[in-house]
Amino acid sequence: MIWDPFYECMDPEERAELQVRRLRETVARLNVNVPWYRDRFAEAGVAPEDIRSLDDLRRLPFTTKDDLRDTYPFGLFAVPPEECVRIHASSGTTGKPVIAGYAREDINIWAETIARTIACGGGSSHDVLHNAYGYGLFTGGLGLHYGGELMGCLVIPASGGNTERQLMLMQDLGSTILCCTPSYALTIVDTAEEIGIDPGTLSLKSGLFGAEPWSEGTRETIEERLGLSAHDIYGLTEVIGPGVAAECEAKAGLHVFDDHFIPEVIDPDTGEPLPPGESGELVFTCITKRAFPIIRFRTRDITRLDVEPCECGRTQPRMERITGRTDDMLIIRGVNVFPSQIEEVLLQIEGLEPHYQLVLTREGRLDNLRIEVEVSPATFSDEVRKLEALEEGIRERVSSALGIRVDVKLVEPKTIERSIGKAKRVIDMREEA
Ligand code: DLL
């Protein structure tokens, strides 16, 4: 099912006209209501009436995470805080969080784009939607919740944690759609196996997984072990939360809901827009939001766009799964490495579990990367010689994929900390060295 065929399947030229109109209106409103944007537009020498085509988007200034910190908490709001009905904040371990405000209309738009997301994953009003994204300031829980209710699903607001209980609820209530981070889905898989629940006895048919990078290998593992179809869903607090882009049944990229959020891909070094097909930093402009419409927000996420028609009938452009972030790139002895590249290799190797951590240390002046990865219980009982050979094999495969030498340490099953939200894959001990 397509939730909103009018917008999702619109003729691209017609949609471009709609986008330009909405963009111009948003810029005009920000120009009046947000002094920070007014100054930036003036510096860039661009006025609302200059926005005549989508090409004029590039005349607008970027907004960065630092700009959000500098204007914390309400500096970029286009309405007074009392006109907002909700605040969310992005996860971040240091300093002030990023605050996003929602007017009532924004909550409605969000519910709509989440309903589209659920429909992309094959959902309908008949579904029981088990929502194990965290409820709270994080956008995952409440975001999926409102969209699920709008669609008419029976929503189970499970939030994260207490995995055994979650499994019991899924079993008893006949949950058909599971929503959580892919790493938590793996935790659910493990726990089911531990307490002897055969995933085949669950009624799950579809999963909406996002909020962190994951690989094709993880998809296969989750699909196989939970017996569902796993869909990648994408979003970020600064733009709205989840509900920015979602994978349809074709699983050939995530449709971006660009009647609300215009995507661009830019060269992260020069800021120049790149054509479809070229990989770079994803940038979003919100064109329908009332309280917090961000202009050309630099996400730091790396992807590319595909504007070719999709077999599902939706005409909205697709973004490739996020392959990394400009700031999660590790530079190891001069070589750029993304954790996702390593995951890709690890999950192709027989005998390994999809649980790993990357530990960075410094020896003298040299950075060292150690990959700690769990072996499956069956492999763990093998003789030492076999384990050593496996370790050596991984070292060779990862080293040849990345072009640098890495250390590999196999660890016992269940020793890497399990995640209930976003997994922590990289442990950087270089500062302490
Ligand atoms: O993670 C919103 C969300 C909730 C998306 C639930 C999907 C499902 P933030 O906490 O602000 O918002 O984090 C946003 O998470 O810039 C990406 O780096 C990363 N991210 C989100 N979805 C994906 C995905 C939510 N499908 C940041 N694949 C983004 C890879 C993702 N990375």
Side-chain angles (χ1 to χ4, degrees):
M1 173 183 94
I2 296 181
W3 175 254
D4 190 345
F6 181 80
Y7 287 109
E8 293 177 77
C9 307
M10 204 174 208
D11 171 63
E13 277 180 29
E14 240 176 87
R15 188 162 44 235
E17 280 172 31
L18 175 80
Q19 288 172 315
V20 174
R21 199 171 65 241
R22 290 179 166 179
L23 175 63
R24 191 166 45 235
E25 283 164 10
T26 301
V27 170
R29 226 159 52 74
L30 290 175
N31 208 34
V32 174
N33 295 345
V34 186
W36 190 89
Y37 272 119
R38 187 186 312 138
D39 294 347
R40 297 298 147 111
F41 295 157
E43 273 167 33
V46 54
E49 56 277 15
D50 296 332
I51 309 290
R52 291 191 206 93
S53 79
L54 280 183
D55 282 342
D56 293 321
L57 188 58
R58 65 169 68 190
R59 300 176 60 179
L60 295 168
F62 292 116
T63 311
T64 64
K65 240 187 166 72
D66 284 341
D67 295 331
L68 293 174
R69 290 212 179 90
D70 295 345
T71 54
Y72 175 87
F74 302 128
L76 295 188
F77 280 31
V79 299
E82 58 269 26
E83 279 183 40
C84 292
V85 296
R86 176 107 58 85
I87 290 287
H88 279 286
S90 76
S91 43
T93 44
T94 52
K96 300 275 190 198
V98 164
I99 298 283
Y102 301 71
R104 191 171 304 283
E105 298 91 312
D106 301 324
I107 299 285
N108 294 340
I109 289 172
W110 195 14
E112 288 280 344
T113 63
I114 293 288
R116 291 183 191 184
T117 298
I118 298 170
C120 272
S124 73
S125 61
H126 302 299
D127 281 296
V128 179
L129 183 141
H130 185 96
N131 187 11
Y133 282 112
Y135 280 64
L137 286 171
F138 176 56
T139 51
L142 286 168
L144 267 298
H145 186 101
Y146 275 61
E149 285 191 352
L150 176 67
M151 170 151 277
C153 302
L154 172 58
V155 180
I156 318 297
S159 200
N162 204 342
T163 312
E164 288 191 22
R165 200 174 127 91
Q166 302 228 14
L167 277 159
M168 178 190 78
L169 284 173
M170 281 195 262
Q171 237 175 357
D172 295 349
L173 305 175
S175 302
T176 51
I177 300 181
L178 172 62
C179 307
C180 61
T181 58
S183 59
Y184 190 54
L186 292 173
T187 306
I188 292 177
V189 165
D190 273 6
T191 310
E193 284 167 9
E194 254 168 55
I195 61 176
I197 290 188
D198 172 5
T201 62
L202 299 174
S203 316
L204 293 173
K205 61 166 203 206
S206 170
L208 305 176
F209 304 123
E212 63 184 3
W214 53 308
S215 66
E216 225 23 66
T218 298
R219 188 201 312 264
E220 278 165 27
T221 306
I222 298 174
E223 289 194 332
E224 201 180 291
R225 301 220 206 157
L226 283 180
L228 50 69
S229 169
H231 294 254
D232 194 2
I233 69 169
Y234 171 86
L236 61 167
T237 314
E238 294 86 343
V239 172
I240 203 158
V244 174
E247 237 176 13
C248 65
E249 66 270 20
K251 295 188 185 164
L254 293 77
H255 287 284
V256 181
F257 304 129
D258 68 340
D259 48 324
H260 296 288
F261 321 111
I262 305 182
E264 294 173 90
V265 168
I266 63 161
D267 177 327
D269 298 323
T270 65
E272 281 304 308
L274 296 172
E278 281 190 36
S279 179
E281 181 180 349
L282 185 60
V283 168
F284 277 108
T285 299
C286 297
I287 52 171
T288 49
K289 276 173 67 190
R290 211 172 108 73
F292 191 67
I294 206 158
I295 299 292
R296 299 195 85 197
F297 180 65
R298 292 189 61 157
T299 65
R300 302 185 186 172
D301 291 322
I302 298 168
T303 185
R304 57 181 150 199
L305 293 175
D306 180 353
V307 293
E308 294 304 314
C310 178
E311 64 184 54
C312 73
R314 291 177 183 81
T315 54
Q316 299 192 289
R318 282 167 289 163
M319 55 181 250
E320 184 184 38
R321 73 161 65 244
I322 300 289
T323 51
R325 283 176 57 80
T326 54
D327 54 4
D328 82 354
M329 188 175 75
L330 309 169
I331 305 184
I332 297 158
R333 280 170 249 131
V335 177
N336 300 349
V337 174
F338 288 103
S340 60
Q341 287 174 292
I342 297 174
E343 175 168 324
E344 200 83 43
V345 178
L346 291 180
L347 291 192
Q348 287 165 10
I349 299 173
E350 192 85 17
L352 297 183
E353 293 288 301
H355 302 287
Y356 65 94
Q357 258 172 349
L358 309 177
V359 183
L360 281 164
T361 52
R362 185 164 289 153
E363 286 159 19
R365 284 166 190 274
L366 279 188
D367 287 340
N368 190 52
L369 171 62
R370 186 173 70 242
I371 301 174
E372 298 188 351
V373 57
E374 280 182 19
V375 290
S376 64
T379 313
F380 188 65
S381 57
D382 278 348
E383 333 158 4
V384 175
R385 210 163 27 87
K386 277 198 182 156
L387 288 173
E388 281 172 356
L390 177 62
E391 218 171 59
E392 184 52 36
I394 302 169
R395 197 173 295 128
E396 267 170 28
R397 283 178 69 170
V398 176
S399 299
S400 80
L402 302 181
I404 47 158
R405 198 184 57 77
V406 297
D407 288 340
V408 173
K409 184 175 166 207
L410 298 179
V411 299
E412 282 182 45
K414 316 243 181 285
T415 45
I416 288 178
E417 195 189 340
R418 295 295 186 258
S419 133
I420 56 165
K422 302 192 190 221
K424 186 166 169 48
R425 303 282 192 204
V426 179
I427 300 183
D428 194 342
M429 313 222 291
R430 286 177 298 182
E431 297 301 309
E432 295 151 33

